[in-house]
Amino acid sequence: MREQRDAPRRPSTLPVFPVNIAVPDIRRWIAGNCGISGAWSFVAKAAGPHVAITAIVHGNEIAGAVVLDRLLRAGLRPARGRLSLVFGNLDAFQRFDPADPTATRFVDEDLNRVWDRELLEGPQRSAELRRARELRPLIDSVDVLVDLHSMLWASESLILTGEPEKAARFALSIGVPRMVVADSGHVGGRRLIDYARFAAPDTEPTAVLVEAGDHWEPETVARMEQTCARALRGLGAVAEDAPLAMIEPVPPPRRARVTHTVTAATRSFTFVRDFRGGEVIRRRNTLIAMDGEEEIRTPHDDCLLVMPTPMVPRGHTAVRLARFLD
């Protein structure tokens, strides 16, 4: 008897995504103050680490720009060490149109897939490589980095740490978002948190990527503000009276590790139903998608779905499958 299974569902067109936050006016911040456009860096008298918060690495993820704009307008300064607030993909952000909000993730290529030394030092050219090369001298001096992102498809918020244990410890100390997921990145290229300075397990510099919620919702902005406040206060980088969000009590964080990264091998990758990121599939070997003729099944019980992408191009990450560590 043939196994009965759900018919795959593949969206034919993008749904309409409302933009429920105002696009911040960051023109006053474009010049920067450290020789790099869109980068603001402040040094305290007391010694300490160089902490950086980056946003709009993807130009349409405007919630992060809202947060940095607010911090700069409030006059946030470090109590020790150095604090840098960096607007990433300025070219893509400046093209953002709320009437077509998915169109400006990047100009030529994903700025969060180019952080490989050979690529950065190679002959290739693109708007994003040019920007990464501009930012690289600053990034090479950062000790702790928090990279603010948001999500297009429905998902619970989370912190991605890459593979280093040091990044997982830092993410757990922040505690917002609650879910901390270790992963190995994407086949399409290295993210900023995978840059060698942060990815090396035997060095101190560390970085985390915060997926704070839906792209264009006020709740995402609020969560980013909470993340920044908890990170900066936890590091002792700012004074007690710093203009940051009040830290709210939160449940203990949870930790998971990606066991399988599913990359779409065909143009017809299709989930069997609508899944939400953060959903847990209880039973091993449950069918969740079809990639052409290949079945995609859960590799273990209590399988956490990390950021499933219903409309995924061939060669891109469709979903990451993770196991809880706690």
Side-chain angles (χ1 to χ4, degrees):
M1 182 176 179
R2 290 176 61 90
E3 177 188 4
Q4 186 176 6
R5 66 191 186 207
D6 296 330
R9 298 183 59 188
R10 181 176 178 81
S12 56
T13 60
L14 277 174
V16 175
F17 295 100
V19 177
N20 294 322
I21 55 178
V23 182
D25 182 356
I26 66 168
R27 286 175 293 181
R28 65 188 294 186
W29 312 123
I30 296 299
N33 74 339
C34 59
I36 301 172
S37 59
W40 290 78
S41 203
F42 309 98
V43 180
K45 292 182 179 179
H50 181 185
V51 182
I53 300 174
T54 51
I56 56 169
V57 167
H58 295 133
N60 65 336
E61 297 181 12
I62 65 173
V66 172
V67 172
L68 293 197
D69 177 57
R70 289 179 181 177
L71 295 179
L72 286 164
R73 288 177 184 272
L76 180 67
R77 298 293 185 270
R80 66 187 188 100
R82 181 179 175 187
L83 174 64
S84 294
L85 305 175
V86 182
F87 297 93
N89 198 333
L90 292 172
D91 288 347
F93 172 79
Q94 289 167 348
R95 302 180 188 194
F96 180 77
D97 179 1
D100 190 11
T102 64
T104 57
R105 180 176 171 88
F106 52 80
V107 177
D108 295 322
E109 61 178 320
D110 194 327
L111 180 57
N112 214 28
R113 300 292 184 272
V114 301
W115 292 93
D116 177 84
R117 178 178 176 179
E118 291 186 1
L119 185 59
L120 291 170
E121 297 177 0
Q124 297 94 324
R125 296 290 182 267
S126 70
E128 278 71 28
L129 272 169
R130 181 174 62 251
R131 182 58 173 160
R133 289 162 181 156
E134 290 173 354
L135 293 173
R136 189 181 180 190
L138 176 66
I139 298 301
D140 279 338
S141 68
V142 169
D143 299 305
V144 183
L145 183 137
V146 178
D147 190 18
L148 300 177
H149 287 257
S150 53
M151 297 176 279
L152 179 63
W153 302 104
S155 177
E156 299 299 318
S157 59
L158 69 154
I159 303 179
L160 294 171
T161 69
E163 296 182 319
E165 183 66 20
K166 60 185 179 180
R169 290 194 299 267
F170 177 48
L172 291 167
S173 75
I174 298 172
V176 174
R178 183 188 181 199
M179 181 61 66
V180 174
V181 179
D183 71 338
S184 58
H186 300 273
V187 296
R190 286 182 174 270
R191 302 165 297 188
L192 180 53
I193 66 168
D194 303 320
Y195 184 52
R197 178 172 180 81
F198 307 122
D202 54 349
T203 61
E204 292 186 4
T206 191
V208 296
L209 187 161
V210 179
E211 295 284 7
D214 297 342
H215 280 331
W216 306 297
E217 295 297 333
E219 294 81 5
T220 300
V221 174
R223 190 171 295 113
M224 287 180 175
E225 291 181 321
Q226 187 70 195
T227 300
C228 292
R230 297 176 72 92
L232 293 173
R233 293 191 189 281
L235 292 165
V238 295
E240 287 298 319
D241 60 351
L244 292 166
M246 294 293 294
I247 292 180
E248 303 171 358
V250 294
R254 296 204 70 186
R255 186 176 177 187
R257 177 174 291 279
V258 170
T259 58
H260 293 73
T261 297
V262 179
T263 302
T266 71
R267 292 188 177 90
S268 59
F269 187 100
T270 309
F271 287 101
V272 299
R273 66 171 175 84
D274 292 334
F275 289 106
R276 179 180 177 85
E279 190 170 341
V280 177
I281 308 302
R282 294 299 177 190
R283 300 192 62 129
R284 175 185 177 276
N285 206 39
T286 299
L287 180 70
I288 59 171
M290 296 295 297
D291 193 359
E293 297 298 318
E294 180 183 359
E295 296 181 343
I296 308 299
R297 294 179 175 270
T298 52
H300 44 72
D301 291 344
D302 294 326
C303 184
L304 175 69
L305 303 187
V306 179
M307 298 175 64
T309 302
M311 299 180 68
V312 58
R314 183 175 62 180
H316 289 248
T317 301
V319 66
R320 282 160 279 192
L321 309 176
R323 187 194 301 273
F324 289 104
L325 300 180
D326 52 3

